[in-house]
Amino acid sequence: MGAILQILGGIIGIVSLVCYVLVIVKIFQSGDTTMGIICLVTLLLCGLGGLITFILGWIKRDQYGTHQIMPIWTGAIILGFLVNGAAFSLMN
């Protein structure tokens, strides 16, 4: 059962990564190049780029056109916490 939850957690992680990339693409397409670069660089340097991108995706969903992506990404994050937490609790 734990292995199934870990695989499911991995799939949810991939969905979250795809949503991150889609939001970054939308940021660049909207002409907000500086913010897109900041999100990419801070992800690589300190890991905060994902959080910044997530917050920007919600705050500027009209400007970036992320109305369909953000609920999916939010659901993936919540499910990821639940599934990975359950997998961790089964391992202990």
Side-chain angles (χ1 to χ4, degrees), residues 56-67:
L56 275 177
W58 273 115
I59 291 174
K60 296 189 175 188
R61 64 185 176 269
D62 292 329
Q63 180 182 347
Y64 297 153
T66 58
H67 291 284

Side-chain angles (χ1 to χ4, degrees), residues 29-42:
Q29 286 176 344
S30 72
D32 203 356
T33 308
T34 304
M35 206 65 219
I37 291 171
I38 289 171
C39 289
L40 287 173
V41 169
T42 55

Side-chain angles (χ1 to χ4, degrees), residues 4-34:
I4 293 172
L5 288 174
Q6 287 179 338
I7 292 170
L8 186 59
I11 292 169
I12 293 169
I14 291 170
V15 169
S16 184
L17 178 65
V18 168
C19 289
Y20 169 78
V21 170
L22 289 173
V23 172
I24 288 289
V25 168
K26 294 282 190 176
I27 290 172
F28 279 108
Q29 286 176 344
S30 72
D32 203 356
T33 308
T34 304

Side-chain angles (χ1 to χ4, degrees), residues 35-80:
M35 206 65 219
I37 291 171
I38 289 171
C39 289
L40 287 173
V41 169
T42 55
L43 178 72
L44 296 174
L45 292 180
C46 58
L48 290 175
L51 179 62
I52 294 169
T53 306
F54 183 78
I55 293 169
L56 275 177
W58 273 115
I59 291 174
K60 296 189 175 188
R61 64 185 176 269
D62 292 329
Q63 180 182 347
Y64 297 153
T66 58
H67 291 284
Q68 295 176 340
I69 300 168
M70 293 312 297
I72 296 169
W73 194 7
T74 303
I77 290 172
I78 293 169
L79 277 175

